[in-house]
Amino acid sequence: MKKRVLLIIPAFNEEESIIDTVKQVENFYDENFELNYVVINDGSTDSTGKLLTNSGKNVIHLVSNLGIGGAVQTGYKYAKLHSYDIAVQFDGDGQHDINSLPALISPILQEKNNFTIGSRFVPGEKSNFQSTGLRRLGINIISILIKIVSGQRLYDTTSGYRAADKNVIEYFSDSYPVKYPEPESLVLLLKNGFKFREIPVNMFERTGGESSITPVKSIKYMLEVCSAILLLSFKKGKEEL
């Protein structure tokens, strides 16, 4: 029996790209697994919600903006409720390459890992899009800090292209970081003994809209996320979350 895979697509004000992103998912097929999706419309104030509803897409409309952490956790809860075997976070802005999905979930299908991270920076591999120099610097700093607190080196610590097995779906359904979910969740997984690895994937520049991250916000983000990681490092395990 084929494993059931759910793409969780968080979307906030993505009217320029969300329909094209969903169509790419709908047109994708792999004989090794059954693929479905759910868009989490995170309280968008533009036409994102209307476009999804009018085009008959599978969407959950949040009544207010919860942020990326709350939106993705909603997707994990949906995956748990509908008994999916694997849940994959997939951006609504067109940055993630759906053709990288089989490689991303392969270690989970083979039951070698609980969680995989789609990475642009695995040594020896190169994605079409690797972000700005400032962001890469920030990612490297977070990578070094995670290695200090956990002993494991990860290269694409802020990647939002990631896959989880049923055990991680169950865990994240109950407890998921809200403010800085990508790097914080990696620390939690490491501390709770989940097996995961980075998988080389391809990514693109945004196909529509603009990123809300400015240089000033980047500095603030770095200070806060590093503090959050250090605080998490003092937790002993799942029972303390």
Side-chain angles (χ1 to χ4, degrees):
M1 185 175 179
K2 290 183 180 180
K3 296 288 187 180
R4 299 175 65 240
V5 179
L6 176 73
L7 286 195
I8 300 168
I9 308 176
F12 176 68
N13 291 351
E14 296 290 358
E15 62 183 7
E16 295 183 29
S17 58
I18 190 60
I19 297 302
D20 286 341
T21 297
V22 173
K23 284 181 179 179
Q24 290 179 32
V25 174
E26 292 175 331
N27 292 332
F28 182 82
Y29 173 77
D30 190 292
E31 63 181 9
N32 296 309
F33 53 88
E34 175 189 333
L35 181 63
N36 294 295
Y37 73 88
V38 61
V39 180
I40 311 299
N41 174 29
D42 190 21
S44 295
T45 56
D46 64 359
S47 298
T48 297
K50 184 177 180 180
L51 287 169
L52 289 164
T53 298
N54 290 347
S55 57
K57 306 307 181 186
N58 186 30
V59 56
I60 295 174
H61 297 285
L62 301 181
V63 297
S64 62
N65 178 250
L66 298 183
I68 186 65
V72 171
Q73 187 175 27
T74 300
Y76 280 122
K77 288 180 179 293
Y78 181 95
K80 177 183 176 181
L81 179 65
H82 294 278
S83 301
Y84 279 93
D85 299 295
I86 299 173
V88 180
Q89 184 179 336
F90 191 84
D91 282 358
D93 60 11
Q95 284 192 303
H96 295 161
D97 187 348
I98 189 64
N99 294 305
S100 292
L101 180 63
L104 182 68
I105 67 172
S106 178
I108 299 177
L109 289 173
Q110 298 174 34
E111 299 183 352
K112 293 181 179 179
N113 295 97
N114 304 110
F115 192 79
T116 56
I117 308 162
S119 177
R120 294 160 287 182
F121 309 124
V122 172
E125 303 287 343
K126 187 176 182 180
S127 170
N128 285 343
F129 174 64
Q130 296 205 338
S131 193
T132 65
L134 181 61
R135 290 194 189 181
R136 290 199 301 272
L137 174 62
I139 290 168
N140 285 333
I141 292 172
I142 295 171
S143 174
I144 292 169
L145 184 58
I146 289 178
K147 180 168 175 54
I148 290 172
V149 302
S150 72
Q152 184 165 335
R153 181 67 188 269
L154 302 171
Y155 293 93
D156 203 344
T157 54
T158 63
S159 171
Y161 199 1
R162 41 185 46 206
D165 73 356
K166 273 195 169 185
N167 293 319
V168 177
I169 291 171
E170 176 83 23
Y171 177 50
F172 281 160
S173 294
D174 295 332
S175 179
Y176 193 70
V178 174
K179 199 164 187 181
Y180 307 110
E182 280 82 12
E184 286 186 81
S185 62
L186 298 180
V187 176
L188 292 176
L189 290 175
L190 283 166
K191 293 187 69 63
N192 284 283
F194 290 104
K195 296 180 180 179
F196 66 94
R197 61 184 292 190
E198 287 185 272
I199 303 296
V201 298
N202 190 41
M203 295 190 191
F204 308 108
E205 292 190 64
R206 294 174 63 94
T207 59
E210 294 182 0
S211 173
S212 61
I213 300 176
T214 64
V216 173
K217 287 183 178 180
S218 295
I219 294 171
K220 182 175 182 289
Y221 171 88
M222 284 302 304
L223 292 173
E224 292 183 353
V225 77
C226 288
S227 297
I229 290 171
L230 288 173
L231 288 173
L232 284 175
S233 69
F234 292 104
K235 292 184 178 292
K236 293 183 179 179
K238 185 175 180 179
E239 69 279 359
E240 293 192 14
L241 299 179

